[in-house]
Amino acid sequence: MGQALPVADAARQRAVAQALRIFLPERAVLWEQEDTRPYECDGLTAYRQLPMVVALPETEEQVQRILRTCHDLGVPVVPRGAGTGLSGGALPPGDGVLLSLAKFMRVLRLDPVARLAVVQPGVRNAAISDVAAPFGLYYAPDPSSQIACTIGGNVAENSGGVHCLKYGLTVHNVMRVRGYAMDGEPLDVGGESLDAPGLDLLALLIGSEGLLAVATEITVKLLPMPQLARVVMASFDDVGKAGDAVAAVIAAGIIPAGLEMMDRPATHAVEQFVGAGYDLEAAAILLCEADGIPEEVEEEIARVKQVFERAGATRLTVSRDETERLRIWSGRKAAFPAVGRISPDYYCMDGTIPRKRLGEVLGFIGALENKYGLRCPNVFHAGDGNLHPLILFDANDADQLRRTEEFAAEVMQKCIEVGGTITGEHGVGVEKIDQMCIQFRAEELSLFHAVKAVFDPRGLLNRGKAVPTLTRCAEFGRMHVHGGKLVHPELPRF
Amino acid sequence: MLADFRDTILAAAARRAPLRLRGGGSKDFYGGAPRGALLDTRGYAGIVDYEPTELVATARCGTPLAELEETLAREGQMLAFEPPRFGGAATLGGCIAAGLSGPRRAAAGAARDFVLGARLLDGQARDVSFGGRVMKNVAGYDVSRLLAGSLGTLGLILEVSLKVLPRPAAELTLRLELPEAKALESLNRWAGSPLPISASAWRDGELSLRLSGAQSAVRAAAQKLGGEALAGEAALEFWSGIREHAHPFFSGDAPLWRLSVPSNCAPVALPGAQLIEWGGALRWLRAGTQAAVRAAAASAGGHATLFRGGDKAAGVFAPLAPALLRLHRELKAAFDPAGIFNPGRLHPDF
Ligand SMILES: Cc1cc2nc3c(=O)[nH]c(=O)nc-3n(C[C@H](O)[C@H](O)[C@H](O)COP(=O)(O)OP(=O)(O)OC[C@H]3O[C@@H](n4cnc5c(N)ncnc54)[C@H](O)[C@@H]3O)c2cc1C
C-alpha cells in the first residue's frame, strides 16, 4: 500500500505491448511509467499498482482483439471506466493490461418514444441525463460521482445514488448489455423488451465488478422528469432519533425520492466547504425529497413534516424553489470532497443494514471513534440503510493506517452481525475481499467461482478481486463459523 | 423437512434421475412439460420475517402466495409486481421460479426487480444463501435475481426475501375508446410524461388505464386523460381478470402466445385476437404458428413464448443464440452438475 509497486517483468511487458501494437496505434498502447502512472489507482488511493501495459481501444473490434490476445498469452486484464470506484475494482494488474474504456464516449441512439438510450461504456452517468433532458427524460440512478463516473463502471458495480430508494439501482434501470467475455466471445444479454428468454444473465452481469465480461454497449431506461421536487431538511438533537424518524417515514407508507442523513461532523465539514445552509447545532440532519406533480408533492411534504415533528425534529425547513433545493443537496453531493479537505485521507465504508438498526450501529461507530482515536463523520443513504462512515486518517502515519483498517473491519463485521452486508453499492473489489470470507461460506464462494469459470475459465479478467479464494479465506483466519462448524475444514489453519 | 429435501436431491443426483420441483402446481402448464420424480415444496412453508418498516418480507418456498399477500395487505403493503397466481394453490417458490409479473410490471418492475435475497439447495444439496434482507447489497454475484424466472433449473429455492411496497393511497381506472395504433402511440407518449399510470390493457378498441398514487396525482391525471371512470369493484375485477387470465380473452383452447416487444413497436400484424398490456411492451395473441409468431416477435426486436396450449413440441421459448446457450448450459452445470432439476422446463437441452 502507499507506494506503487513496480512492474515485474520487462521482457514480458515488451512482448505484450508488441502483440497489442499489431492492431492498435502507438498512442493506444502505454507502457512507460510516466504514461501509466495516472492509472495506478482508482478512488481507493491507498492501493496502488503500476499496470504492465495500458490499452486505450476506440472500437469494439479492438476490445475484442485485446481480449483475445491477452487470453491467448495468459495475460490478466482489468477494465477501467473513470477510475472513481471506491473498492479498488480498477486497481491495475502489475503483470497485465489495464483496459481503459475512456474513449467509448458516444451516445449511439436516444429513442424518446421508447424512452431508452444506447450508449458506449465510457459515457459519463450525468451525460446521459444531459442528452435526455431536451425530451423531458433522465437516467435515474445518480451516484454522487455522477459527473465523473461512467455507465460502464456503474453497470460493473450496480451503482446507486440518492434517488435509488424510489427509482431503483443500476440493475433496475439497465435493459441490455453487449460486450465480450475474456476469450473475445461477443455477448448480448437483455433487450429492448421488458424481458428476454432464458436465465436473467443481465442480473448476473450487473454488479459483477468486471469479472465476467467487458461491457461495450449499454442500453438504459429513461424516465420522465418529475414536474416538481422539493426537499425537507429536518434537524434532530440525537442521531438515534434521526434514525427512528427514517423508519417512521417508511412506516407511514411514504417512499420519498431521496432520504439521506448527515451527522454533525459531516455537516460541519460540508458547511465550511459549500455553505449549504445546514443546521450546525443539530446532532444529525435528514434530507427528504418528494417529487411528482405539484399537488402530490405538497401532500407528501405535509405528511413528511408531520412524521418528522412526531419523531422529535427540532427544526424543519422546506425548499421554496429549485435554487434552494439544489443548494440543500449541494452539501450532500459534495460531502466526500468536503471531508477530503478536513483530513489528509479518508476511508469510505459502504455497509448496508436494516433501517431499524441505524441508531444502534451509529452508536457503535461512535464508540469505535474513541477506541481507535480516529474521527468518523457519517453521511449516507438512510432510506436504504446504506451507511457511508468516513474514517479520517493520515496515510503517511502507518499506525493510523493500521487503526483505520481495524476500525473498518469492525464496522463491516457489525454490519454482517445485524443482518446486513459489507457493501451496498461500492463493491468488494480488493478492499473488502477478506470480509467476503465472513459474509459468505465456502459453499457459496465455490459457487461464485463456478460462475466465474463459466465466463472466464482461465480466471484472467479482474483476477483476484471481488471473490476470495478459499485459501485466502483460510489465511485470513476469520472463518465464518456456521452452525458451530468451521467452513473450510479441508484447508490448513494459519 | 430440509433433511428430506437434501436426501431426495442427493439420491437423485447419484442416479442422475430427474426431479420435478413443484409447489401448488398452478404453473404446471408453463414452460416445457414437467417430468421426473415429484419433489413437493409445500411442506416447507411460512413467513420467516416481515417488518413493514424495513419493506422486506422473507418467506419459505411453500408459503401460499395468497397468504403472503394477505399478510402484506394487512399492513397496507403489497408485492408491487402483482404476480399472477393462476389458481389458489400458487406458492412463493413457484412464483419466483416462474418469474412472472402482472399488470403493474411496466410501472413498478418485474419479479426479479423485487428479489433481495434467496436461499437454495443446489444440485449437490448444498444449502446456500445469496443477497440478503437489506435494500442494497452488491457483495458477490447477484445469484438471487438469477433465480427469478429460472423455472427451478438451478436449484430448489428454499426461501426468498422480497422488497415490498406500500399500497397506493388511491387508484382509479379509466376507459377510453382508441384504435390499436392510436392506443400504442398514446401509451408511449404518456409513459414519457409524469403520469401515475400503473397498468394498461387494450383489447378490441378499448383501452383501460389504471392510475395509482396520491389522491391528488390520480385526480389530476384523470382529468388530463379523460375517458370514463370504472366503478371501484368493477375495476378490481377487471385487473384481477387481466392478472389471473380470467378475462374472457384468455378463455378457450386456442394457443396463447406471449410477445414481449419494445413498447413502441407497431401493431403486430398477425391473425388472431390480441390483448396489449404493459404500455405496449406485452402483446397476447390467440392464434398463430411457431414460425410466423417467432419471426414477427424477433423482427419487432422482442421474443415470443408459447404460453398456453398449442404445440409445445416445437418449442416454448424463443431459441437462444449459440453463445448464450453455451453460457446457459455451463451455468446449469455449475449449479446442478447431475442435471436433475426440472430438465427441459426452461430449455430442451437442460
Ligand atoms: C466522490 C465519490 C462519490 C461516490 N458516490 C457514489 C454513490 O453515490 N453511489 C455509488 O454507487 N457509488 C459512488 N461512488 C463510487 C463510484 O463512483 C462508482 O462505483 C462508479 O460506478 C464507478 O464508475 P467508474 O467509471 O469510475 O468505474 P471504475 O472505477 O473505472 O471501475 C469500477 C469497476 O468497474 C469495472 N469496469 C469499468 N468499466 C467497465 C466495463 N466497461 N466493463 C466491465 N467492467 C468495467 C472495473 O474493472 C472496476 O472493477 C463514488 C465515488 C466517489 C469518488
Side-chain angles (χ1 to χ4, degrees):
Chain A
M1 272 211 234
Q3 202 58 16
L5 303 175
V7 166
D9 184 339
R12 177 81 165 158
Q13 182 180 47
R14 221 172 304 120
V16 171
Q18 268 166 12
L20 297 179
R21 276 300 312 285
I22 294 173
F23 56 90
L24 287 174
E26 193 174 347
R27 61 171 193 286
V29 184
L30 315 178
W31 51 276
E32 299 210 56
Q33 280 206 16
E34 63 196 72
D35 297 326
T36 58
R37 178 80 60 197
Y39 300 91
E40 70 183 357
C41 67
D42 64 4
L44 182 71
T45 53
Y47 293 78
R48 288 167 200 266
Q49 167 66 57
L50 281 173
M52 182 167 78
V53 172
V54 175
L56 293 151
E58 283 177 60
T59 66
E60 287 201 12
E61 198 210 330
Q62 288 172 347
V63 171
Q64 184 179 33
R65 291 189 70 177
I66 292 168
L67 289 169
R68 248 189 222 144
T69 305
C70 290
H71 182 260
D72 293 347
L73 297 174
V75 174
V77 172
V78 171
R80 176 182 166 112
T84 67
L86 290 174
S87 54
L91 182 74
D95 58 349
V97 171
L98 183 87
L99 174 59
S100 167
L101 282 309
K103 290 192 176 166
F104 287 79
M105 286 181 57
R106 279 186 303 136
V107 174
L108 300 171
R109 181 157 73 88
L110 188 136
D111 185 336
V113 179
R115 290 151 278 119
L116 53 85
V118 183
V119 303
Q120 292 189 318
V123 171
R124 289 172 303 107
N125 172 296
I128 303 177
S129 292
D130 290 346
V131 297
F135 305 98
L137 301 170
Y138 76 114
Y139 175 63
D142 56 344
S144 305
S145 52
Q146 70 187 132
I147 53 166
C149 66
T150 67
I151 188 71
N154 292 175
V155 165
E157 303 288 9
N158 189 16
S159 300
V162 162
H163 291 94
C164 286
L165 180 58
K166 186 165 173 183
Y167 297 106
L169 309 163
T170 304
V171 69
H172 302 111
N173 290 280
V174 166
M175 306 179 72
R176 177 182 190 175
V177 171
R178 286 186 51 244
Y180 296 90
M182 183 63 217
D183 62 2
E185 173 89 33
L187 297 177
D188 185 353
V189 303
E192 292 185 13
S193 49
L194 291 179
D195 44 42
L199 295 169
D200 195 339
L201 298 185
L202 195 59
L204 197 59
L205 283 188
I206 295 173
S208 64
E209 302 198 20
L211 265 74
L212 303 184
V214 177
T216 52
E217 187 187 291
I218 295 151
T219 304
V220 301
K221 196 165 102 176
L222 302 173
L223 298 183
M225 284 195 283
Q227 250 176 46
L228 177 70
R230 292 182 78 190
V231 61
V232 184
M233 179 162 64
S235 307
F236 292 86
D237 57 12
D238 175 76
V239 174
K241 277 190 200 162
D244 293 342
V246 170
V249 170
I250 307 292
I254 303 168
I255 304 291
L259 182 50
E260 300 281 309
M261 194 196 292
M262 299 171 80
D263 65 9
R264 181 164 22 211
T267 53
H268 277 247
V270 163
E271 205 50 37
Q272 302 172 25
F273 187 44
V274 285
Y278 293 159
D279 177 358
L280 298 176
E281 299 293 300
I285 63 166
L286 292 178
L287 305 182
C288 183
E289 182 152 290
D291 69 4
I293 63 162
E295 296 89 333
E296 184 182 17
V297 172
E298 294 327 307
E299 197 178 312
E300 191 171 308
I301 292 280
R303 291 176 65 205
V304 167
K305 278 171 70 177
Q306 201 178 41
V307 171
F308 283 164
E309 267 159 19
R310 281 208 202 113
T314 53
R315 213 172 108 183
L316 284 170
T317 318
V318 184
S319 63
R320 277 158 304 187
D321 52 34
E322 196 56 11
T323 317
E324 189 172 8
R325 183 182 80 88
L326 293 176
R327 183 171 51 92
I328 292 174
W329 279 116
S330 70
R332 168 62 187 90
K333 293 239 168 183
F336 291 6
V339 164
R341 301 205 345 168
I342 60 165
S343 169
D345 298 280
Y346 69 86
Y347 184 87
C348 175
M349 311 194 50
D350 179 41
T352 303
I353 57 168
R355 275 176 284 259
K356 65 180 171 203
R357 311 294 286 266
L358 276 176
E360 172 194 344
V361 174
L362 291 174
F364 177 81
I365 293 172
L368 292 181
E369 291 188 272
N370 294 332
K371 174 172 171 187
Y372 290 105
L374 294 168
R375 286 181 298 154
C376 182
N378 284 285
V379 31
F380 61 98
H381 311 300
D384 289 318
N386 184 193
L387 303 172
H388 288 324
L390 300 164
I391 306 173
L392 310 186
F393 72 106
D394 180 352
N396 292 324
D397 178 340
D399 190 57
Q400 281 199 30
L401 185 59
R402 179 192 56 79
R403 277 183 279 146
T404 302
E405 288 185 330
E406 284 174 22
F407 189 146
E410 279 205 52
V411 175
M412 285 192 256
Q413 175 107 25
K414 180 76 177 175
C415 290
I416 299 172
E417 270 167 34
V418 301
T421 174
I422 54 175
T423 175
E425 59 181 18
H426 295 165
V428 173
V430 291
E431 179 209 11
K432 306 177 193 82
I433 194 147
D434 287 336
Q435 279 71 27
M436 285 291 282
C437 309
I438 310 176
Q439 185 160 335
F440 291 97
R441 289 171 288 144
E443 292 86 347
E444 288 138 4
L445 295 173
S446 316
L447 256 174
F448 287 151
H449 287 298
V451 168
K452 165 77 169 163
V454 168
F455 287 82
D456 176 18
R458 301 183 69 177
L460 293 170
L461 195 58
N462 243 339
R463 169 194 283 190
K465 302 197 182 140
V467 185
T469 61
L470 299 187
T471 318
R472 183 175 179 123
C473 286
E475 281 168 9
F476 175 55
R478 296 265 287 285
M479 296 293 122
H480 179 155
V481 179
H482 190 81
K485 278 184 298 206
L486 266 177
V487 285
H488 315 294
E490 74 283 10
L491 295 170
R493 305 281 136 213
F494 293 87
Chain B
M1 194 81 227
L2 282 186
D4 288 350
F5 287 163
R6 228 174 274 128
D7 292 344
T8 308
I9 291 171
L10 288 176
R15 293 183 296 117
R16 298 191 167 262
L19 278 180
R20 170 185 182 188
L21 308 180
R22 187 174 192 259
S26 63
K27 280 133 195 122
D28 280 349
F29 71 89
Y30 181 60
R35 61 190 181 86
L38 183 69
L39 190 161
D40 188 333
T41 66
R42 283 175 300 181
Y44 196 64
I47 296 172
V48 178
D49 187 20
Y50 169 46
E51 270 183 78
T53 61
E54 297 297 323
L55 299 177
V56 180
T58 302
R60 296 194 174 127
C61 54
T63 313
L65 206 46
E67 179 191 325
L68 177 62
E69 294 199 272
E70 278 155 25
T71 306
L72 300 177
R74 279 198 292 277
E75 300 293 338
Q77 297 187 334
M78 63 176 182
L79 295 179
F81 56 102
E82 293 189 322
R85 290 183 201 162
F86 298 139
T91 62
L92 175 63
C95 158
I96 296 306
L100 298 171
S101 309
R104 208 180 294 270
R105 193 277 173 244
R112 57 90 90 164
D113 292 312
F114 291 89
V115 173
L116 295 174
R119 176 174 165 208
L120 85 156
L121 288 178
D122 74 359
Q124 301 170 61
R126 297 184 297 188
D127 186 341
V128 283
S129 295
F130 301 96
R133 296 181 189 177
V134 287
M135 288 292 128
K136 291 163 89 176
N137 186 354
V138 294
Y141 303 121
D142 202 345
V143 173
S144 46
R145 273 186 227 285
L146 181 69
L147 297 175
S150 65
L151 276 174
T153 53
L154 300 181
L156 168 56
I157 300 171
L158 287 177
E159 213 174 272
V160 184
S161 295
L162 293 172
K163 176 174 178 174
V164 301
L165 284 179
R167 290 176 162 274
E171 282 201 322
L172 179 71
T173 295
L174 299 174
R175 280 271 158 81
L176 295 93
E177 298 292 324
L178 283 178
E180 183 178 6
K182 182 79 186 131
L184 286 170
E185 190 268 313
S186 305
L187 284 168
N188 279 283
R189 186 161 34 83
W190 292 329
S193 63
L195 287 167
I197 296 174
S198 69
S200 57
W202 179 92
R203 165 84 200 114
D204 228 355
E206 187 179 71
L207 178 65
S208 305
L209 290 178
R210 185 178 64 190
L211 306 173
S212 307
Q215 192 77 54
S216 52
V218 168
R219 209 179 305 123
Q223 246 165 25
K224 194 164 163 187
L225 292 166
E228 299 251 328
L230 203 64
E233 271 306 304
L236 284 181
E237 199 184 309
F238 174 77
W239 292 112
S240 156
I242 297 292
R243 174 176 172 177
E244 299 297 342
H245 289 188
H247 185 282
F249 170 84
F250 295 98
S251 64
D253 296 330
L256 175 64
W257 283 92
R258 173 191 189 275
L259 283 76
S260 178
V261 293
S263 63
N264 64 336
C265 96
V268 176
L270 286 172
Q274 284 190 39
L275 187 145
I276 301 175
E277 280 193 84
W278 297 2
L282 184 61
R283 319 234 174 144
W284 298 101
L285 172 69
R286 291 311 304 266
T289 59
Q290 280 276 347
V293 178
R294 294 218 184 280
S299 76
H303 64 101
T305 304
L306 180 52
F307 201 77
R308 254 186 228 269
D311 178 16
K312 283 196 179 181
V316 175
F317 299 105
L320 298 169
L324 289 188
L325 180 56
R326 183 190 66 78
L327 291 177
H328 275 72
R329 280 212 197 92
E330 292 183 15
L331 279 170
K332 165 74 174 175
F335 283 85
D336 176 16
I340 54 172
F341 293 126
N342 286 356
R345 205 74 205 269
L346 185 65
H347 194 279
D349 288 9
F350 57 82

